[in-house]
Amino acid sequence: MKHRRVLRAAVTVAVTGALAAGMTMALTTSASAGTTLRASAAEKGRYFGAAVATGKLSTSAYVTVLNREFNSVVAENEMKWDATEPQQGQFRYTGGDRLVSHAQANGMSVRGHALLWHQQEPGWAQSMSGSALRSAMINHVTQVATHFRGKIHSWDVVNEAFADGGSGGRRDSNLQRTGNDWIEAAFRAARAADPGAKLCYNDYNTDGINAKSTGIYNMVRDFKSRGVPIDCVGFQSHLGTSLAGDYQANLQRFADLGVDVQITELDVMTGGNQANIYGAVTRACMNVSRCTGITVWGVRDCDSWRGSDNALLFDCNGNKKAAYTNVLNALNAGPAIPTDPPTDPPTDPPTDPPTDPPTDPPAVGCSASVSLNSWTGGFVASVKVTAGSAGTSGWNVGFTLPSGASVTNTWSATASGSTGTVRFANVNYNGRLGAGQVTEFGFQGTGSASGVTPTCTAS
Ligand code: XIL
């Protein structure tokens, strides 16, 4: 059945088409039919994104399509390790910052891609191993996620860490050889650096229930059970001429673990099935309420890394292809993500006032607790500071580190000293806390910090 279309401004807010048009229209399953990918996705509570090469942001034909159709972007290369830390400890954010500004000026969210990946490592990291590499990679995660803090919707914290083929295990790489816990160490460091970003694991050849996707599924289940901070799984979906029949079922089994799922790098081999496959992938996402968005890996066929595959939604002149129409129709026909929180207030207010005093009456001053993520030769400490009953206008947390341990890097606090007794003072935005309010900071170090206990002083 054909939906009637209502022509509207490209940038559409969540107003129903019927209202906006002020006329009667034949409604089918959806309240309205958007006329761009971004409007249609937004009406369903989702984003529709594209990978962007920032060099093309000065090409007007490219930008016209990008701004009209997409409300999310990801850097095709500019936020990768080789681009952001070309020399160890020297960070370069020009390309990434440019993309973020473009996104902010055009109502787009940003996916961050990718903090750690065995490809596109800078040369200096390629030649590292062991605890030196472990420190360098965690430092990279911390620095880059801190730089973009508050600006990233979802980060691909780790990209492509699982092996192809039937093993269902990890891929060998210098990152993997630092210890099997490298992925969780990266997620913990990313959470500490940017608590507002959703943290994703991203991979390819995971487009159905297979040994590789099951290996990842088991890792995500383990992370959720142990409280390792993971929020989403990205399915790259670089596709050929057919789509696995259980593509949607695979997304759903991950969603059932309590993570969001996202289609992160969609492109499809040209040929008779291309438009159908694009439609089917979009429908699968729409049918999974935790599938929060789709990103295609480029704008026009000629922008694609897949050369002559003509794998995208627009031809080289920016014209919409049949695949585009199928995607748009699937977005318009699909259900919206259920909105939360529930709109109704709880029906039964508690009848009795609580009889027990709070078990931990907040101390005057402040208290601090630490959680350590350690590996051989290094650690990341995440510290929680809780204000006492009088609140704080500033705080200072001290640790006495065991000999051999040394702080190499701190975020959301200012360190004095790096060995022995080390003190961390608030920075300007997190010193003032109301009674019972909590803030977090972190630091990274070499050696072992096991057994350390913090002391907190408020001012
Ligand atoms: C690709 C880019 O599109 C190319 O420009 C670059 O030369 C290589 O990387 N999986 C990923 C992406 O996670 O980062 C890759 O992007 C494509 C495969």
Side-chain angles (χ1 to χ4, degrees):
M1 151 172 345
K2 271 211 155 163
H3 291 256
R4 282 192 56 188
R5 297 274 165 68
V6 179
L7 285 177
R8 289 182 290 153
V11 180
T12 310
V13 287
V15 174
T16 68
L19 268 179
M23 60 165 95
T24 39
M25 46 185 285
L27 290 182
T28 56
T29 52
S30 61
S32 64
T35 57
T36 63
L37 302 174
R38 63 181 286 166
S40 296
E43 282 174 1
K44 302 301 164 66
R46 295 177 165 90
Y47 65 80
F48 204 95
V52 168
T54 53
K56 292 182 181 155
L57 289 175
S58 44
T59 304
S60 69
Y62 177 87
V63 175
T64 300
V65 179
L66 177 69
N67 290 358
R68 187 188 67 219
E69 297 290 344
F70 299 95
N71 60 356
S72 166
V73 285
V74 59
E76 191 171 354
N77 289 298
E78 290 85 340
M79 290 195 196
K80 292 174 182 174
W81 196 353
D82 58 351
T84 50
E85 194 180 1
Q87 304 298 328
Q88 186 169 14
Q90 290 177 20
F91 291 86
R92 189 177 63 186
Y93 296 115
T94 338
D97 286 347
R98 183 160 180 219
L99 186 63
V100 169
S101 316
H102 185 89
Q104 289 175 343
N106 292 283
M108 300 163 168
S109 58
V110 181
R111 292 195 85 259
H113 175 80
L115 292 170
L116 293 178
W117 186 25
H118 66 284
Q119 285 189 28
Q120 292 181 269
E121 282 182 20
W124 62 266
Q126 288 174 32
S127 58
M128 283 178 101
S129 62
S131 61
L133 175 61
R134 176 64 76 98
S135 285
M137 67 203 232
I138 297 297
N139 185 50
H140 179 76
V141 170
T142 299
Q143 298 293 333
V144 176
T146 299
H147 175 82
F148 291 110
R149 180 188 179 114
K151 297 173 178 163
I152 302 295
H153 174 286
S154 300
W155 261 116
D156 291 335
V157 177
V158 170
N159 194 33
E160 301 185 357
F162 276 72
D164 290 312
S167 77
R170 298 285 180 85
R171 168 194 301 282
D172 179 52
S173 71
N174 63 343
L175 306 174
Q176 178 64 29
R177 289 191 293 271
T178 69
N180 204 51
D181 63 342
W182 72 279
I183 298 183
E184 61 188 89
F187 275 83
R188 290 188 204 278
R191 176 70 96 230
D194 185 355
K198 297 220 181 238
L199 304 181
C200 306
Y201 176 81
N202 192 50
D203 216 325
Y204 69 96
N205 278 352
T206 51
D207 314 301
I209 298 177
N210 58 38
K212 186 172 178 181
S213 64
T214 299
I216 297 165
Y217 175 87
N218 289 336
M219 177 187 76
V220 174
R221 190 174 51 184
D222 170 54
F223 280 13
K224 293 299 282 183
S225 76
R226 291 190 295 112
V228 178
I230 185 167
D231 308 303
C232 37
V233 175
F235 298 82
Q236 292 185 9
S237 306
H238 295 292
L239 299 173
T241 52
S242 64
L243 182 68
D246 53 5
Y247 186 88
Q248 180 180 319
N250 189 46
L251 299 181
Q252 186 65 56
R253 73 170 173 156
F254 279 86
D256 291 343
L257 291 175
V259 288
D260 289 343
V261 294
Q262 304 171 350
I263 313 304
T264 51
E265 304 185 14
L266 181 61
D267 50 20
V268 183
M269 179 91 76
T270 198
N273 262 338
Q274 184 183 56
N276 291 338
I277 292 173
Y278 264 111
V281 168
T282 309
R283 275 193 300 280
C285 177
M286 300 305 283
N287 288 338
V288 174
S289 62
R290 293 199 73 140
C291 184
T292 57
I294 300 175
T295 300
V296 289
W297 203 247
V299 176
R300 303 160 305 182
D301 282 342
C302 298
D303 303 316
S304 170
W305 73 307
R306 290 182 60 168
S308 56
D309 276 357
N310 292 325
L312 294 172
L313 298 176
F314 296 87
D315 71 18
C316 294
N317 296 317
N319 297 312
K320 297 168 182 172
K321 294 164 58 180
Y324 172 95
T325 308
N326 281 5
V327 169
L328 187 69
N329 289 345
L331 292 173
N332 285 332
I337 290 182
T339 46
D340 57 356
T343 45
D344 290 341
T347 45
D348 286 322
T351 45
D352 293 329
T355 47
D356 290 329
T359 45
D360 279 321
V364 177
C366 57
S367 60
S369 62
V370 62
S371 116
L372 281 178
N373 179 31
S374 305
W375 58 91
T376 313
F379 62 89
V380 167
S382 305
V383 187
K384 212 177 251 187
V385 177
T386 307
S389 50
T392 63
S393 53
W395 46 260
N396 196 292
V397 174
F399 286 89
T400 302
L401 297 179
S403 70
S406 172
V407 173
T408 52
N409 178 36
T410 303
W411 50 96
S412 306
T414 306
S416 42
S418 60
T419 57
T421 299
V422 184
R423 304 210 63 88
F424 299 88
N426 63 276
V427 287
N428 59 6
Y429 61 83
N430 64 9
R432 191 166 293 280
L433 301 175
Q437 209 184 335
V438 176
T439 190
E440 291 188 41
F441 72 94
F443 58 98
Q444 182 188 349
T446 54
S448 164
S450 69
V452 288
T453 48
T455 53
C456 192
T457 327
S459 55

